[in-house]
Amino acid sequence: MRKLSVLVIGLLFVFGFAINAYATNGMNMISYGGTASGMAGASLGISDDPSAMNNNPAGLTYVKTGEAGAGISLLMPNLTHKDFANDKEGESAIFPLPMMAYAHRVGKGPLVLGLGVFAQGGMGAEFTDLNTAFGTKDTTYSNVMYAKITPTVAYQVSDKVSLGLALNVGYSALEFKFFPETSYGMTFSGMDLKDASSFGYGAKLGVMIKPSDMVSLGIVYTSESKLDPGDGDLTLNMSSLGLGKVKYDADIEGFTWPQQLGFGVGIRPNKKLLIGVDLTWVNWSDAMDVMTVKASNPDNAMAPASMDIPFKMKWEDQWVFALGAAYKATDSLTVRAGYNYGKNPIPAETLSPLFPAIVEHHLTVGLGYTFGIWRIDGAWEYALNKEVTYTNPDAPFGTNAVEEHNQNTIHLFATYTF
């Protein structure tokens, strides 16, 4: 009981810092946990440690007694925005993304329980001193964050079949600035949204099937989590209308974390080599269609009493392919590598520097080292440069604007077996 109490306190602590997540399969991270990070996220058919609750929860049945794991990923994006008046690099930043997970088998039976916290994903970018189409210099900034706590139960039906169910108790936060110091007649009012947040709920159901010692299969369904952050503050710059900056209460409609369906295969040709292959469908088209900022209760009686400000997203469904391999070089050392591809889900006609989650190709390498009851896993992930030229009729960047994005991520995890 004491171990569990300490874990819950730790999970809540980590949860408070886990929501800054800048992701690369749309808004999802490509991997969760030390083993999967080195294998580019290939995990649905081979998950076997506490991070399985956010990959394939059925994999928790491979925890023989008890395991606890914690780690951090350091994400370092590189962004560039170009338009008729700008060629500007985004602000440099390092984003820490913690993770913590715990699983234990109940007695010697088929039931395994788990609890974890994961920075699931998000996106964000900041560009300062941009030359605007209205003759000013201004800023664009976005920060979308989503983390979740995952109480999990897994049951080993037989030597060949396991089932797992993880509940997703998620928290999201959203803020952005779009030329907040600019106001131009009836045409444009700069905006600054802060402190919009909400909880959302969903579930992840997994199945693991092992038809032979050489092959394992995984099927995972993740339900959507409707979020719609609310209770935010929206400031609209209406200076050119003689109203100054007007503060509104703000709620967001149309923001959902998508449902997913994935299938994975694990192949063990011999005792040293493990190969994982995953294919996952992500239903962005239902989750990110039109996001609307609903403003009400202005602090200036002369301003409109309410406003609906739509952001056309029109994201497309995404297929994500992951291929990874792990080679046990010695009894203690494992070497890993992988490749992950997820087609950019953002259409060119709705792209902007606020939401430039466009990278597609990822390469990873990793190492795992076991000593006694401890295992240390590290990985490096590189998202190859992606450039998109676009004309967004709803954004004041003219024709043939360009967003460019690549990034490095360092992962480090420690697992304790008891």
Side-chain angles (χ1 to χ4, degrees), residues 73-96:
S73 299
L74 301 176
L75 192 149
M76 296 160 279
N78 299 300
L79 301 163
T80 302
H81 169 77
K82 301 175 186 178
D83 60 33
F84 68 95
N86 296 283
D87 186 346
K88 187 74 173 178
E89 292 186 359
E91 296 299 302
S92 298
I94 298 176
F95 300 100

Side-chain angles (χ1 to χ4, degrees), residues 271-273 326-336 367-371 375:
K271 292 182 178 180
K272 291 183 175 292
L273 181 62
Y327 181 76
K328 197 172 182 62
T330 70
D331 289 342
S332 299
L333 180 65
T334 301
V335 181
R336 304 183 181 104
L367 295 173
Y369 189 80
T370 301
F371 52 100
R375 188 178 77 245

Side-chain angles (χ1 to χ4, degrees), residues 347-372:
E349 61 269 19
T350 66
L351 184 59
S352 82
L354 285 175
F355 305 113
I358 58 175
V359 291
E360 297 181 334
H361 300 273
H362 310 78
L363 301 175
T364 66
V365 293
L367 295 173
Y369 189 80
T370 301
F371 52 100

Side-chain angles (χ1 to χ4, degrees), residues 63-68 102-105 416-418:
V63 174
K64 299 305 181 185
T65 53
E67 293 185 16
Y102 167 85
H104 77 275
R105 183 173 292 272
Y416 172 76
T417 302
F418 52 88

Side-chain angles (χ1 to χ4, degrees), residues 92-115:
S92 298
I94 298 176
F95 300 100
L97 312 175
M99 184 207 89
M100 189 172 181
Y102 167 85
H104 77 275
R105 183 173 292 272
V106 179
K108 296 183 180 180
L111 186 65
V112 181
L113 303 178
L115 182 64

Side-chain angles (χ1 to χ4, degrees), residues 250-272:
D251 297 304
I252 312 296
E253 288 188 356
F255 182 71
T256 299
W257 215 264
Q259 65 175 335
Q260 300 181 189
L261 180 63
F263 175 76
V265 180
I267 303 172
R268 295 170 173 80
N270 53 58
K271 292 182 178 180
K272 291 183 175 292

Side-chain angles (χ1 to χ4, degrees), residues 305-324:
S306 63
M307 301 178 67
D308 285 357
I309 305 171
F311 286 81
K312 294 179 182 177
M313 310 298 285
K314 300 296 181 182
W315 283 27
E316 299 167 350
D317 289 350
Q318 184 182 48
W319 287 95
V320 177
F321 170 79
L323 171 66

